[in-house]
Amino acid sequence: MLASASRVARPFTISRRPAVRAMASAASDWLKQDKRRMLHVVYRVGDMQKHIDWYTKLLGMKLLRYRDIPEGKYSNAFLGYNSEEKGFALELTYNYGVDSYDIGEGFGHFGVAAPDVYKLAETIRGGGGKITREPGPVKGGATVIAFAEDPTGYKWELIQRAKTEEPLCQVMLRVGDLEKSQAWYRDVLGMQVLRTRDNPEYKYTLGFVGYGPEEDNCVIELTYNYGRTEYSKGNAYAQVALSTDDVYKTAEQIRAAGGTITREPGPVPGIGTKILACTDPDGYKYVFVDSEDFLKELEAAAK
C-alpha cells in the first residue's frame, strides 16, 4: 500500500522568525485573495495543420485564435470548446523546421469529456484517428472511458459525462511523491486537493487537484506508480498557464511557500504581458499570466 495514499498532505514548513512569519502571513492572504484559474496547456507539434484538423474534425473543438511569430520562428494555435475568456484551451506550438518531438514518460494524457464516448470513439475512428483503448467501463468502476492518440502520439482519455461546462477536462502527469506534489499544488499554486484514489491491485494512486470541481473545470490528474520516483520528460509537453491578478505578489507567495521560481515576474519582450514561471517538485513547469494583460491579448487578437 502506498504510504502517501493514507496520509493527508501537509503544508510546507515555515520558519518561526517574526519577519518570515509576517511574509508568510501576507503570502497566505494573497493566495486566498487571488482569483486564479487554468488558462491553457502548451505543447509542441511537428505539423500544425494536421493537429488543427484532428482536434476540430475529430474532437469537435474550435480554432479560437492563431498567431505566427516569424521573428521567433514559431506559430501558436489555440483550440478549445469555450472562449478563452472563461474556458481552458490547448496552445499548440510549431517551431519552424522541427517535425518531431519526444513525449517522454512523465506526461500521461489529456482528457476530454463527452456525453457518449462510444459515439466519439467511432467519430475518431471514422476520421482516420487511432483508438488505443476501446470504450467501456474503467476497471473496478462504472465510468465509461476510451483512449485515442493524436497525430504526434499524445494520448487522450475520452471520459463519459452527461453534462459539463468544460469538456477539456484533464492534464495527467506522473509524479514521484504524491503527498509532496499535492502539498505543492495546494500551497504554491493555490489549488484544491479534490480527491485521492488508491488502486493497490494495479499498484498506482491518483490525486486530482484544481481550482474547482472536476465536473465543470479542467484539473491536473497526478499519477503515482508504486516504487517509481522519476520519469523522463522529453521535449514535447511544455507547461500549463494559470491566471493571477498580480505576478509580483504571486512570486512572493511562491517563495514563501517554498516554491522554485524559474522566470522572475515581468513583461515578455515584444508582447508586454507580465508573467512568471515556476516548477513543481517533479520539474513540470507552470506559468502565471497577469489576468488583465491576458484579456488585452485576447482583445488585440480579435481586432
Side-chain angles (χ1 to χ4, degrees):
M1 175 68 75
L2 172 66
S4 64
S6 61
R7 298 198 302 268
V8 176
R10 297 185 298 271
F12 292 104
T13 301
I14 295 175
S15 169
R16 294 176 178 274
R17 289 179 297 170
V20 176
R21 283 205 309 269
M23 181 184 298
S25 177
S28 179
D29 289 343
W30 173 245
L31 189 60
K32 296 173 183 176
Q33 297 169 16
D34 198 17
K35 296 182 287 294
R36 299 177 181 179
R37 70 179 183 91
M38 293 172 60
L39 300 177
H40 47 255
V41 60
V42 184
Y43 54 104
R44 304 174 182 95
V45 299
D47 186 324
M48 182 69 89
Q49 191 57 53
K50 183 181 289 188
H51 283 77
I52 291 174
D53 289 344
W54 197 89
Y55 289 124
T56 55
K57 295 177 181 178
L58 303 189
L59 286 188
M61 294 185 190
K62 300 174 184 177
L63 177 60
L64 303 173
R65 59 183 168 120
Y66 181 90
R67 65 186 180 193
D68 185 42
I69 315 293
E71 61 270 24
K73 297 183 179 180
Y74 71 92
S75 301
N76 294 130
F78 296 80
L79 300 102
Y81 295 99
N82 294 309
S83 67
E84 288 186 78
E85 287 87 349
K86 66 174 184 177
F88 190 65
L90 310 180
E91 180 183 337
L92 308 182
T93 297
Y94 169 72
N95 292 297
Y96 292 10
V98 182
D99 59 8
S100 65
Y101 291 94
D102 173 20
I103 293 178
E105 303 172 299
F107 168 79
H109 64 254
F110 301 113
V112 63
D116 189 335
V117 163
Y118 294 93
K119 182 178 180 180
L120 179 56
E122 283 307 307
T123 297
I124 292 171
R125 200 192 324 268
K130 183 179 180 182
I131 297 297
T132 59
R133 194 268 199 196
E134 292 298 324
V138 296
K139 294 179 180 179
T143 302
V144 173
I145 67 166
F147 273 91
E149 282 188 8
D150 79 358
T152 293
Y154 292 106
K155 291 181 173 58
W156 280 83
E157 182 178 9
L158 315 178
I159 305 167
Q160 188 152 300
R161 288 181 185 166
K163 184 179 180 182
T164 180
E165 293 295 321
E166 181 50 80
L168 189 51
C169 62
Q170 284 183 3
V171 178
M172 191 277 261
L173 304 171
R174 299 183 177 94
V175 299
D177 185 326
L178 183 58
E179 180 180 356
K180 184 177 182 181
S181 291
Q182 286 178 318
W184 188 90
Y185 281 82
R186 183 192 62 215
D187 300 337
V188 176
L189 298 189
M191 293 185 176
Q192 302 170 47
V193 177
L194 300 169
R195 63 185 173 102
T196 300
R197 189 179 80 210
D198 188 36
N199 297 274
E201 182 180 356
Y202 301 103
K203 298 183 179 181
Y204 72 90
T205 306
L206 304 179
F208 296 82
V209 296
Y211 292 115
E214 289 179 66
E215 292 76 14
D216 294 315
N217 295 272
C218 186
V219 301
I220 306 294
E221 178 184 344
L222 305 172
T223 297
Y224 171 76
N225 292 298
Y226 290 14
R228 188 74 184 269
T229 59
E230 294 182 355
Y231 296 92
S232 66
K233 297 298 188 296
N235 62 353
Y237 174 80
Q239 66 209 34
V240 170
L242 313 168
S243 68
T244 177
D245 291 336
D246 191 315
V247 294
Y248 301 99
K249 289 183 179 179
T250 292
E252 294 173 1
Q253 173 260 313
I254 290 173
R255 287 194 179 91
T260 301
I261 291 177
T262 56
R263 200 272 192 193
E264 291 297 325
V268 176
I271 299 178
T273 298
K274 295 182 287 296
I275 68 168
L276 74 90
C278 61
T279 53
D280 81 351
D282 291 273
Y284 297 114
K285 184 179 178 182
Y286 288 85
V287 174
F288 279 94
V289 182
D290 180 272
S291 300
E292 187 175 342
D293 290 349
F294 179 68
L295 291 177
K296 289 179 181 177
E297 272 194 41
L298 298 182
E299 290 172 2
K303 292 180 179 178

